[in-house]
Amino acid sequence: MDRRRFLMASAKLLAVTAAARSVAACGDAGGNGAGGGGAGGDSPDAETSGPDAALDRDPTEVFTLGLASGDPRPDAVILWTRVDRARTPDAPATIPVRYEVATDADFTDTVASGEATVDAEGDDTLRLKIEGLSPYTVYFYRFSALGARSITGRTKTAPAPDQDVPVKLAFASCQDFNGRYYHAWAWLAAQGPEAVDFVLFLGDYIYETDADPRFQATTPDRAVVIPEGIDLDPASGAKAARTLGDYRSVYRTYRSDADLQAVHALFPFVNIWDDHEFADDAWQDHSTHFNEAQGDERDTARRQAANRAWFEYTPADPAYRAGASFPDDLRIYRSLRFGRHAELFLMDHRSYRADHLVPEGPENTAVGKFGPNSTLGSRNFVLKEGFDPLEAGARPSLLGEAQRTWLQEAVPASNATWKLLGNSTQMAQMLIDLSGFPAVPSMYRKSFYFSCDQWDGYRSERAAVLSALIAAGVTNLVSFAGDIHAFFAAELQLDFDAPAEPVAVEYTCAGISSSSVQEITQRTVDGSEVLSALGLGALVPQMDAILTQTNPGYRYIKAQANGLGLATIDAAEVRVRLVHVPDVTMKTAGEPTIVECVTRAGSNRVELV
Ligand SMILES: [Fe+2]
């Protein structure tokens, strides 16, 4: 046994005794499963025995994707990095990685350190759960491997449940990389390390497609590499990720962005997925890209590849179970507590949901589908008067039984001032009422659900969940949502068709960079002879006004927007700033516009400030 192997073995031995106290490896029970990395413990001779004593290499040659932290708890946080072996031809199959965690940026007060390993099994990604930390405390961390030391990351633990401190978070979703820039992240990083305690990311961290002509336009410097993939569109050559290698490649592309790396280095993230971490408008292990024109789109192996890549590249606490089949391979619904005033309940809208109720393919005039395989798919622009009775009969579930039971038990059990829901898709009803537009043909002069991929498609369960929470005495319920690529601030109803006193509020963020809902709608209408002939093209720029008139619960709407939200939460209020950034297809960012709202405790109202 040579010296290095001996020291590694010693470190692993130390880990056995130190693990319970300070450090635990994440992943499956073996510790070094997919993306796990093996963790060592406190290493007494850190200065001389690390994996590489010199550490004189440029860190950007080794830590090409930077570093990240996530799922902060009062006593623990997840740390993440990836070692890039591409520029180290003689790198060993198993690469030792030293980690250090300190209360100061100079690492004079180190609270945890040790050695872990990465290998090809986990795509050379490392995630460590550092335990035994103090609540509401800033920590600094760094890694070293292959002769390089990473930059220093900063993270912060959650306040203890009895700590009376404000909670500051950013909420964001939908960061399409293709031809688009992350001005919102650049803006957040520029606000400095005290800007927020953590970032809540509500899904579409990646898009599985490289140039979907419906909403993506790639540029040479913002292109995504999908090595194998599924051919989506022979005309454009667009592809969708299919294999584990594809999804890993997509994550590497997204995480290469300097602005995204900067926010990861400053703040812990709390992530859930939406559809595009697997496939557009996905349900369980089914994609819907071809409207089933090519047959059933179930692909369990693809779904498992997507889940495994999410686990490898996301600094989140849920454990990946390498031997288990979807959906038991990865359960991401969970809660996190942030001091006296906030508890966050994070949902998974994709893994357990029933199929969209309107079947793909056939004409279905009852729900406004006047031709087979509409370009809108079966889920968008669905006639309300036809859909509602169908839905009331079928009562499809968005959450699945186990998750719904968990939510309905966990939220009422919380004694936090504010109960925060992490919804990947929005709860607020989003109707488009065209009855007041004489230029629109009479059969379209009705109310349509904009998207039944949101909670609107599962409206019975939405009513049941909200009713159960309110009946259990839950107050101060605030939903944060993404997915729809627009800013909304809304008051939520038990029955949106018979508005009474609102029971909760919802703040929905526009995409960091993705095509706005108005852009996508305009492109869809303009690309369809049928829809254009109906005169809908001229209505799209009026989306904000139409939605405001149709949906009385919306207090603020911006359908043509990119950006993120900030929320400050204390005993008295939730104060939200919606940060609208200018054109994300331009490389240079302009100054953002900020809209401020407040929800006061006990009010269930959104006030524009
Ligand atoms: Fe999205």
Side-chain angles (χ1 to χ4, degrees):
M1 187 181 282
D2 63 24
R3 177 178 152 75
R4 170 172 289 185
R5 291 186 60 171
F6 171 76
L7 287 167
M8 282 177 61
S10 304
K12 294 220 164 169
L13 199 63
L14 278 165
V16 175
T17 53
R21 181 164 54 87
S22 65
V23 181
C26 309
D28 57 7
N32 198 8
D42 293 353
S43 183
D45 49 356
E47 290 307 312
T48 55
S49 74
D52 302 273
L55 302 177
D56 53 1
R57 281 184 82 184
D58 179 350
T60 62
E61 291 184 8
V62 174
F63 298 100
T64 49
L65 305 186
L67 39 67
S69 69
D71 276 18
R73 311 262 180 192
D75 62 345
V77 70
I78 304 291
L79 302 183
W80 181 96
T81 194
R82 178 174 185 269
V83 176
D84 190 337
R85 64 172 71 231
R87 278 165 252 184
T88 312
D90 59 347
T94 298
I95 300 173
V97 184
R98 180 160 179 79
Y99 62 89
E100 299 164 83
V101 184
T103 57
D104 64 318
D106 296 328
F107 291 85
T108 55
D109 180 26
T110 301
V111 297
S113 64
E115 206 166 275
T117 58
V118 297
D119 56 31
E121 178 69 17
D123 204 25
D124 292 323
T125 61
L126 174 68
R127 45 193 253 157
L128 297 168
K129 185 170 187 172
I130 307 295
E131 298 179 296
L133 301 177
S134 301
Y136 205 51
T137 300
V138 171
Y139 289 96
F140 298 88
Y141 62 99
R142 64 189 180 188
F143 302 97
S144 45
L146 299 180
R149 174 178 280 160
S150 72
I151 61 163
T152 295
R154 174 197 177 278
T155 191
K156 189 176 184 181
T157 48
D162 60 350
Q163 268 184 292
D164 183 2
V165 292
V167 176
K168 294 184 291 183
L169 64 104
F171 58 105
S173 70
C174 299
Q175 53 179 4
D176 191 0
F177 185 90
N178 291 271
R180 289 161 174 273
Y181 300 93
Y182 295 163
H183 299 332
W185 290 141
W187 179 85
L188 181 60
Q191 305 313 298
E194 301 302 323
V196 294
D197 299 322
F198 67 97
V199 175
L200 171 60
F201 198 91
L202 294 157
D204 292 359
Y205 189 92
I206 60 160
Y207 284 76
E208 82 285 10
T209 49
D210 62 356
D212 188 325
R214 296 173 304 165
F215 66 98
Q216 290 176 321
T218 298
T219 53
D221 66 325
R222 301 292 281 185
V224 175
V225 178
I226 297 176
E228 296 179 76
I230 299 166
D231 290 325
L232 295 181
D233 177 38
S236 66
K239 289 200 291 187
R242 180 177 60 84
T243 65
L244 179 59
D246 292 338
Y247 284 105
R248 285 171 166 174
S249 175
V250 175
Y251 277 100
R252 288 197 295 269
T253 305
Y254 278 65
R255 197 61 77 71
S256 70
D257 181 89
D259 294 322
L260 179 58
Q261 287 189 14
V263 285
H264 273 300
L266 276 175
F267 310 113
F269 269 51
V270 174
N271 281 61
I272 52 173
W273 59 47
D274 194 33
D275 52 338
H276 286 284
E277 280 84 353
F278 166 48
D280 183 31
D281 284 1
W283 62 279
Q284 298 176 22
D285 48 358
H286 295 247
S287 62
T288 62
H289 193 91
F290 299 106
N291 271 324
E292 295 191 2
Q294 301 183 0
D296 186 7
E297 294 188 47
R298 183 177 190 188
D299 189 339
T300 309
R302 184 184 176 201
R303 172 86 236 192
Q304 293 194 161
N307 283 12
R308 179 165 163 177
W310 185 93
F311 171 78
E312 290 172 349
Y313 280 87
T314 306
D317 205 5
Y320 181 75
R321 297 174 60 212
S325 184
F326 172 83
D328 298 326
D329 52 347
L330 188 54
R331 196 194 94 171
I332 67 160
Y333 65 84
R334 63 198 188 278
S335 64
L336 288 112
R337 180 71 186 253
F338 293 92
R340 185 178 293 182
H341 301 304
E343 186 158 359
L344 179 57
F345 300 89
L346 298 153
M347 278 173 262
D348 176 350
H349 284 191
R350 297 292 166 183
S351 300
Y352 317 101
R353 73 157 69 191
D355 190 5
H356 308 89
L357 198 51
V358 179
E360 286 88 355
E363 172 186 300
N364 190 338
T365 55
V367 292
K369 299 295 170 191
F370 299 105
N373 278 325
S374 153
T375 51
L376 290 168
S378 67
R379 302 164 295 283
N380 296 321
F381 214 59
V382 175
L383 186 62
K384 177 174 172 55
E385 66 185 30
F387 183 78
D388 285 355
L390 262 183
E391 199 277 341
R395 299 178 67 88
S397 176
L398 185 76
L399 300 177
E401 195 180 333
Q403 181 177 200
R404 182 175 152 186
T405 300
W406 162 78
L407 187 71
Q408 292 183 172
E409 290 175 358
V411 179
S414 175
N415 63 358
T417 308
W418 297 91
K419 274 66 69 176
L420 313 177
L421 301 179
N423 274 298
S424 66
T425 69
Q426 73 171 343
M427 294 195 102
Q429 180 162 282
M430 185 179 175
L431 280 178
I432 298 262
D433 182 358
L434 298 179
S435 62
F437 295 87
V440 174
S442 60
M443 70 182 188
Y444 281 99
R445 252 181 270 145
K446 294 183 172 173
S447 275
F448 294 84
Y449 290 114
F450 185 83
S451 168
C452 284
D453 188 62
Q454 306 185 103
W455 271 102
D456 277 346
Y458 304 80
R459 59 197 307 272
S460 296
E461 184 172 77
R462 174 178 61 197
V465 168
L466 285 175
S467 297
L469 297 184
I470 302 310
V474 173
T475 56
N476 293 332
L477 190 59
V478 177
S479 165
F480 292 105
D483 170 64
I484 192 68
H485 303 188
F487 283 116
F488 296 101
E491 294 166 357
L492 302 183
Q493 296 283 336
L494 291 181
D495 182 351
F496 286 90
D497 299 328
E501 274 296 300
V503 296
V505 298
E506 180 169 71
Y507 292 98
T508 300
C509 54
I512 288 288
S513 56
S514 303
S515 279
S516 73
V517 71
Q518 188 165 309
E519 285 166 39
I520 295 174
T521 307
Q522 190 76 62
R523 193 176 307 176
T524 304
V525 171
D526 293 349
S528 159
E529 277 183 38
V530 177
L531 298 173
S532 294
L534 296 174
L536 297 179
L539 296 184
V540 177
Q542 303 175 48
M543 255 180 114
D544 290 351
I546 296 171
L547 286 167
T548 303
Q549 287 160 17
T550 309
N551 303 280
Y554 282 136
R555 294 282 170 258
Y556 179 74
I557 295 177
K558 190 67 181 165
Q560 170 63 54
N562 287 106
L564 51 73
L566 300 176
T568 302
I569 299 158
D570 61 23
E573 63 182 34
V574 174
R575 190 163 289 263
V576 172
R577 289 188 291 155
L578 304 174
V579 181
H580 304 50
V581 296
D583 193 348
V584 296
T585 63
M586 303 289 288
K587 210 166 187 169
T588 311
E591 275 302 301
T593 307
I594 298 178
V595 172
E596 192 167 323
C597 308
V598 66
T599 295
R600 298 183 204 284
S603 76
N604 298 321
R605 297 279 183 185
V606 173
E607 297 170 43
L608 282 175
V609 178

